[in-house]
Amino acid sequence: MLELVKAGGWPMIPLLLLTVAALAIIVERFWSLRRERVLPPGLGDEVRAWVARGKPLEPAHIESLRATAPLGALLAAELDVRHRGREVIRERVEDVGRHLVHRMERFLNALGTIAAAGPLLGLFGTVVGMIEMFLGILDHGLGDAGQLAGGIGKALICTATGMVVAIPALAFHRYFRGRIAGYIVDMEHEAMRLQDVLDEAPGVVPARQD
C-alpha cells in the first residue's frame, strides 16, 4: 500500500487528506445521528403525559426538554407557543424544524464536496503523472516498453484512489440525508400528536383555530 502511495506522487497527498476528512465526517455523523440521540425512546409519550396532567408547565422544565435532543427542542418550541393559534404553532414548528435539519446536516455538504472532488483530484494526479512520463521520454527516449507501461500504471493510481475516496463518500452522503429525512417525518408526527393533546389538556388554554 505504501508503495502505491509513493508511486502516485505528490497528488496523492490531497487525496489522502480527503480520505481522512471523509472518514472523520462519516464516523462523527454516525455518532451524532444515532436514533436514540435524535429521537429518545419514550420522550414524546413522556411530554404528552406531562401536558395531559393539566398542571402548569414550568419554564425550567421546558428548557430542560429543549436541551435533551432535537425532538425535545422541537416539542419545547411547540410548548413555548401553546397558547397561540394553530397557525402560529405550525409556523414555529416549521421554523425550528428547519434549524434542526440544518444542524443535523452539519458536515454533509463537505462530504458531498469530497465525493465530487475525489475523482477530479485523481484525474489531475493522473494527468500530472502522464506529463512527467512524457517529459521523461522527451529527455531520454522511449526506452523499454515495459517501463513505459509501468509509468502509465503508476499515473493511473491517482484516478483509482480518487474513485476509492469518492464512492463511499457519495454513498454515505445519500445515506445520511435519507436518515435525516426519516427523522424529520417522525418528529413532525410527534409534534402533531402533542398538538392533539394540547387541544384537549384541561390546564392549557385551547389553541385558537386561525
Side-chain angles (χ1 to χ4, degrees), residues 73-107:
L74 186 69
L75 298 181
E78 188 172 2
L79 292 176
D80 287 338
V81 292
R82 60 189 179 278
H83 299 304
R84 311 288 292 276
R86 270 183 172 269
E87 187 64 25
V88 174
I89 294 175
R90 185 181 62 82
E91 290 177 358
R92 176 64 65 89
V93 169
E94 290 179 351
D95 183 55
V96 173
R98 282 193 293 271
H99 284 83
L100 293 174
V101 169
H102 180 71
R103 285 166 51 187
M104 287 191 286
E105 289 184 344
R106 188 172 57 169
F107 302 134

Short mmCIF file of all heavy atoms in Angstrom, two decimals, residues 73-107:
data_model
loop_
_atom_site.label_atom_id
_atom_site.label_comp_id
_atom_site.label_asym_id
_atom_site.label_seq_id
_atom_site.Cartn_x
_atom_site.Cartn_y
_atom_site.Cartn_z
N ALA A 73 -36.15 19.63 21.51
CA ALA A 73 -36.11 21.03 21.10
C ALA A 73 -37.36 21.40 20.30
O ALA A 73 -37.93 22.49 20.47
CB ALA A 73 -34.85 21.30 20.27
N LEU A 74 -37.80 20.47 19.44
CA LEU A 74 -38.99 20.75 18.63
C LEU A 74 -40.25 20.82 19.50
O LEU A 74 -41.08 21.73 19.35
CB LEU A 74 -39.15 19.66 17.56
CG LEU A 74 -40.26 19.91 16.54
CD1 LEU A 74 -39.90 21.07 15.63
CD2 LEU A 74 -40.52 18.66 15.71
N LEU A 75 -40.38 19.86 20.42
CA LEU A 75 -41.56 19.85 21.29
C LEU A 75 -41.56 21.05 22.24
O LEU A 75 -42.61 21.61 22.55
CB LEU A 75 -41.61 18.53 22.07
CG LEU A 75 -41.74 17.25 21.21
CD1 LEU A 75 -41.80 16.02 22.11
CD2 LEU A 75 -42.95 17.32 20.30
N ALA A 76 -40.38 21.44 22.71
CA ALA A 76 -40.28 22.61 23.59
C ALA A 76 -40.70 23.87 22.84
O ALA A 76 -41.38 24.74 23.41
CB ALA A 76 -38.85 22.75 24.11
N ALA A 77 -40.29 23.97 21.58
CA ALA A 77 -40.70 25.13 20.78
C ALA A 77 -42.22 25.16 20.61
O ALA A 77 -42.84 26.24 20.61
CB ALA A 77 -40.01 25.08 19.42
N GLU A 78 -42.80 24.00 20.47
CA GLU A 78 -44.27 23.93 20.35
C GLU A 78 -44.94 24.35 21.66
O GLU A 78 -45.96 25.06 21.64
CB GLU A 78 -44.68 22.50 19.97
CG GLU A 78 -46.16 22.36 19.62
CD GLU A 78 -46.47 20.98 19.06
OE1 GLU A 78 -45.55 20.14 19.00
OE2 GLU A 78 -47.66 20.74 18.71
N LEU A 79 -44.35 23.94 22.78
CA LEU A 79 -44.92 24.31 24.08
C LEU A 79 -44.75 25.81 24.36
O LEU A 79 -45.56 26.40 25.09
CB LEU A 79 -44.26 23.49 25.19
CG LEU A 79 -44.57 21.98 25.18
CD1 LEU A 79 -43.77 21.26 26.27
CD2 LEU A 79 -46.06 21.73 25.37
N ASP A 80 -43.71 26.42 23.80
CA ASP A 80 -43.49 27.86 24.00
C ASP A 80 -44.69 28.67 23.52
O ASP A 80 -44.99 29.74 24.07
CB ASP A 80 -42.23 28.31 23.26
CG ASP A 80 -40.96 27.84 23.95
OD1 ASP A 80 -41.01 27.53 25.16
OD2 ASP A 80 -39.91 27.78 23.28
N VAL A 81 -45.33 28.21 22.46
CA VAL A 81 -46.44 28.98 21.86
C VAL A 81 -47.74 28.20 21.99
O VAL A 81 -48.64 28.34 21.15
CB VAL A 81 -46.14 29.30 20.38
CG1 VAL A 81 -44.99 30.28 20.26
CG2 VAL A 81 -45.82 28.01 19.61
N ARG A 82 -47.86 27.40 23.05
CA ARG A 82 -49.03 26.52 23.19
C ARG A 82 -50.33 27.29 23.35
O ARG A 82 -51.41 26.75 23.11
CB ARG A 82 -48.84 25.59 24.39
CG ARG A 82 -48.66 26.30 25.72
CD ARG A 82 -48.25 25.33 26.80
NE ARG A 82 -48.05 25.97 28.09
CZ ARG A 82 -46.94 26.59 28.44
NH1 ARG A 82 -45.94 26.65 27.57
NH2 ARG A 82 -46.83 27.16 29.62
N HIS A 83 -50.26 28.57 23.78
CA HIS A 83 -51.49 29.36 23.95
C HIS A 83 -51.85 30.15 22.71
O HIS A 83 -52.82 30.92 22.74
CB HIS A 83 -51.33 30.30 25.14
CG HIS A 83 -51.10 29.59 26.44
ND1 HIS A 83 -51.97 28.63 26.93
CD2 HIS A 83 -50.10 29.67 27.35
CE1 HIS A 83 -51.53 28.18 28.09
NE2 HIS A 83 -50.38 28.79 28.36
N ARG A 84 -51.06 30.01 21.67
CA ARG A 84 -51.32 30.74 20.43
C ARG A 84 -52.15 29.88 19.49
O ARG A 84 -52.47 28.74 19.75
CB ARG A 84 -50.00 31.12 19.77
CG ARG A 84 -48.99 31.78 20.69
CD ARG A 84 -49.40 33.20 21.05
NE ARG A 84 -49.33 34.05 19.88
CZ ARG A 84 -48.20 34.63 19.46
NH1 ARG A 84 -47.08 34.44 20.12
NH2 ARG A 84 -48.21 35.41 18.40
N GLY A 85 -52.48 30.44 18.35
CA GLY A 85 -53.28 29.72 17.38
C GLY A 85 -52.51 28.60 16.70
O GLY A 85 -51.27 28.55 16.74
N ARG A 86 -53.26 27.69 16.08
CA ARG A 86 -52.62 26.56 15.39
C ARG A 86 -51.65 27.03 14.31
O ARG A 86 -50.61 26.40 14.09
CB ARG A 86 -53.71 25.68 14.77
CG ARG A 86 -54.22 24.57 15.67
CD ARG A 86 -55.24 23.71 14.94
NE ARG A 86 -55.61 22.55 15.73
CZ ARG A 86 -54.98 21.39 15.65
NH1 ARG A 86 -53.96 21.26 14.81
NH2 ARG A 86 -55.35 20.36 16.39
N GLU A 87 -52.02 28.11 13.61
CA GLU A 87 -51.15 28.58 12.54
C GLU A 87 -49.81 29.05 13.08
O GLU A 87 -48.75 28.78 12.50
CB GLU A 87 -51.84 29.72 11.78
CG GLU A 87 -51.09 30.19 10.53
CD GLU A 87 -50.97 29.11 9.47
OE1 GLU A 87 -51.84 28.20 9.45
OE2 GLU A 87 -50.01 29.16 8.70
N VAL A 88 -49.86 29.74 14.24
CA VAL A 88 -48.62 30.19 14.86
C VAL A 88 -47.78 29.00 15.32
O VAL A 88 -46.56 28.97 15.14
CB VAL A 88 -48.94 31.12 16.06
CG1 VAL A 88 -47.65 31.49 16.80
CG2 VAL A 88 -49.65 32.38 15.59
N ILE A 89 -48.45 28.02 15.91
CA ILE A 89 -47.74 26.82 16.35
C ILE A 89 -47.10 26.11 15.17
O ILE A 89 -45.94 25.69 15.21
CB ILE A 89 -48.69 25.88 17.11
CG1 ILE A 89 -49.16 26.55 18.42
CG2 ILE A 89 -48.03 24.55 17.40
CD1 ILE A 89 -50.20 25.75 19.18
N ARG A 90 -47.85 26.00 14.09
CA ARG A 90 -47.32 25.32 12.90
C ARG A 90 -46.09 26.05 12.35
O ARG A 90 -45.08 25.43 12.00
CB ARG A 90 -48.40 25.23 11.82
CG ARG A 90 -47.99 24.44 10.59
CD ARG A 90 -49.11 24.41 9.56
NE ARG A 90 -49.41 25.76 9.08
CZ ARG A 90 -48.70 26.37 8.13
NH1 ARG A 90 -47.65 25.76 7.59
NH2 ARG A 90 -49.02 27.57 7.74
N GLU A 91 -46.19 27.39 12.30
CA GLU A 91 -45.05 28.15 11.79
C GLU A 91 -43.83 28.00 12.70
O GLU A 91 -42.70 27.91 12.21
CB GLU A 91 -45.43 29.63 11.65
CG GLU A 91 -46.43 29.89 10.53
CD GLU A 91 -46.84 31.34 10.47
OE1 GLU A 91 -46.37 32.13 11.32
OE2 GLU A 91 -47.62 31.71 9.57
N ARG A 92 -44.07 27.99 14.02
CA ARG A 92 -42.95 27.83 14.95
C ARG A 92 -42.29 26.45 14.78
O ARG A 92 -41.06 26.34 14.77
CB ARG A 92 -43.42 28.02 16.39
CG ARG A 92 -42.34 27.78 17.44
CD ARG A 92 -41.21 28.81 17.32
NE ARG A 92 -41.69 30.14 17.60
CZ ARG A 92 -41.70 30.68 18.82
NH1 ARG A 92 -41.23 29.98 19.83
NH2 ARG A 92 -42.16 31.90 19.02
N VAL A 93 -43.13 25.43 14.65
CA VAL A 93 -42.59 24.07 14.46
C VAL A 93 -41.79 23.98 13.17
O VAL A 93 -40.68 23.41 13.13
CB VAL A 93 -43.73 23.04 14.47
CG1 VAL A 93 -43.24 21.67 14.01
CG2 VAL A 93 -44.33 22.93 15.87
N GLU A 94 -42.31 24.58 12.10
CA GLU A 94 -41.59 24.54 10.82
C GLU A 94 -40.27 25.29 10.90
O GLU A 94 -39.25 24.85 10.38
CB GLU A 94 -42.47 25.12 9.71
CG GLU A 94 -43.65 24.23 9.34
CD GLU A 94 -44.52 24.85 8.27
OE1 GLU A 94 -44.29 26.04 7.92
OE2 GLU A 94 -45.43 24.16 7.78
N ASP A 95 -40.31 26.46 11.58
CA ASP A 95 -39.09 27.27 11.69
C ASP A 95 -38.02 26.53 12.49
O ASP A 95 -36.86 26.43 12.07
CB ASP A 95 -39.43 28.60 12.36
CG ASP A 95 -38.22 29.51 12.44
OD1 ASP A 95 -37.61 29.77 11.38
OD2 ASP A 95 -37.89 29.97 13.55
N VAL A 96 -38.42 25.99 13.65
CA VAL A 96 -37.45 25.24 14.47
C VAL A 96 -37.01 23.98 13.73
O VAL A 96 -35.83 23.60 13.79
CB VAL A 96 -38.07 24.89 15.83
CG1 VAL A 96 -37.15 23.97 16.62
CG2 VAL A 96 -38.35 26.15 16.62
N GLY A 97 -37.92 23.35 13.00
CA GLY A 97 -37.56 22.15 12.25
C GLY A 97 -36.49 22.44 11.21
O GLY A 97 -35.57 21.64 11.03
N ARG A 98 -36.57 23.60 10.54
CA ARG A 98 -35.54 23.96 9.56
C ARG A 98 -34.18 24.11 10.24
O ARG A 98 -33.15 23.68 9.71
CB ARG A 98 -35.93 25.25 8.84
CG ARG A 98 -36.98 25.07 7.74
CD ARG A 98 -37.08 26.30 6.87
NE ARG A 98 -37.61 27.42 7.62
CZ ARG A 98 -38.92 27.70 7.73
NH1 ARG A 98 -39.80 26.93 7.13
NH2 ARG A 98 -39.33 28.74 8.43
N HIS A 99 -34.17 24.74 11.41
CA HIS A 99 -32.90 24.88 12.13
C HIS A 99 -32.34 23.51 12.55
O HIS A 99 -31.13 23.28 12.48
CB HIS A 99 -33.10 25.77 13.36
CG HIS A 99 -33.21 27.22 13.05
ND1 HIS A 99 -34.39 27.80 12.66
CD2 HIS A 99 -32.29 28.21 13.03
CE1 HIS A 99 -34.20 29.09 12.43
NE2 HIS A 99 -32.93 29.37 12.65
N LEU A 100 -33.23 22.63 12.97
CA LEU A 100 -32.77 21.30 13.38
C LEU A 100 -32.22 20.51 12.20
O LEU A 100 -31.21 19.81 12.33
CB LEU A 100 -33.93 20.54 14.04
CG LEU A 100 -34.41 21.10 15.38
CD1 LEU A 100 -35.65 20.36 15.85
CD2 LEU A 100 -33.31 21.00 16.44
N VAL A 101 -32.87 20.64 11.04
CA VAL A 101 -32.36 19.96 9.84
C VAL A 101 -30.97 20.49 9.50
O VAL A 101 -30.05 19.72 9.16
CB VAL A 101 -33.32 20.16 8.66
CG1 VAL A 101 -32.69 19.69 7.36
CG2 VAL A 101 -34.61 19.39 8.91
N HIS A 102 -30.84 21.81 9.59
CA HIS A 102 -29.53 22.41 9.29
C HIS A 102 -28.45 21.86 10.22
O HIS A 102 -27.33 21.57 9.78
CB HIS A 102 -29.62 23.93 9.43
CG HIS A 102 -28.33 24.64 9.14
ND1 HIS A 102 -27.80 24.74 7.88
CD2 HIS A 102 -27.45 25.26 9.97
CE1 HIS A 102 -26.65 25.39 7.94
NE2 HIS A 102 -26.41 25.72 9.19
N ARG A 103 -28.79 21.71 11.50
CA ARG A 103 -27.81 21.18 12.46
C ARG A 103 -27.52 19.71 12.18
O ARG A 103 -26.36 19.27 12.27
CB ARG A 103 -28.34 21.35 13.88
CG ARG A 103 -28.25 22.80 14.37
CD ARG A 103 -29.05 23.03 15.61
NE ARG A 103 -28.77 22.06 16.66
CZ ARG A 103 -29.45 21.98 17.79
NH1 ARG A 103 -30.45 22.82 18.00
NH2 ARG A 103 -29.13 21.11 18.70
N MET A 104 -28.54 18.94 11.85
CA MET A 104 -28.30 17.52 11.60
C MET A 104 -27.53 17.29 10.30
O MET A 104 -26.86 16.26 10.14
CB MET A 104 -29.64 16.77 11.57
CG MET A 104 -30.28 16.60 12.95
SD MET A 104 -31.67 15.44 12.96
CE MET A 104 -32.92 16.44 12.14
N GLU A 105 -27.63 18.24 9.37
CA GLU A 105 -26.91 18.09 8.10
C GLU A 105 -25.51 18.68 8.16
O GLU A 105 -24.85 18.81 7.12
CB GLU A 105 -27.70 18.74 6.97
CG GLU A 105 -28.96 17.98 6.60
CD GLU A 105 -29.68 18.60 5.42
OE1 GLU A 105 -29.37 19.77 5.10
OE2 GLU A 105 -30.54 17.92 4.84
N ARG A 106 -25.05 19.00 9.36
CA ARG A 106 -23.72 19.57 9.50
C ARG A 106 -22.68 18.62 8.91
O ARG A 106 -22.74 17.40 9.13
CB ARG A 106 -23.42 19.82 10.98
CG ARG A 106 -22.14 20.59 11.22
CD ARG A 106 -22.00 20.96 12.66
NE ARG A 106 -22.05 19.79 13.52
CZ ARG A 106 -21.74 19.81 14.81
NH1 ARG A 106 -21.41 20.94 15.38
NH2 ARG A 106 -21.79 18.72 15.54
N PHE A 107 -21.75 19.17 8.17
CA PHE A 107 -20.64 18.44 7.52
C PHE A 107 -21.08 17.64 6.29
O PHE A 107 -20.22 17.11 5.58
CB PHE A 107 -19.94 17.49 8.49
CG PHE A 107 -19.37 18.16 9.71
CD1 PHE A 107 -19.55 17.62 10.97
CD2 PHE A 107 -18.66 19.35 9.61
CE1 PHE A 107 -19.03 18.23 12.09
CE2 PHE A 107 -18.14 19.97 10.73
CZ PHE A 107 -18.33 19.41 11.97
#
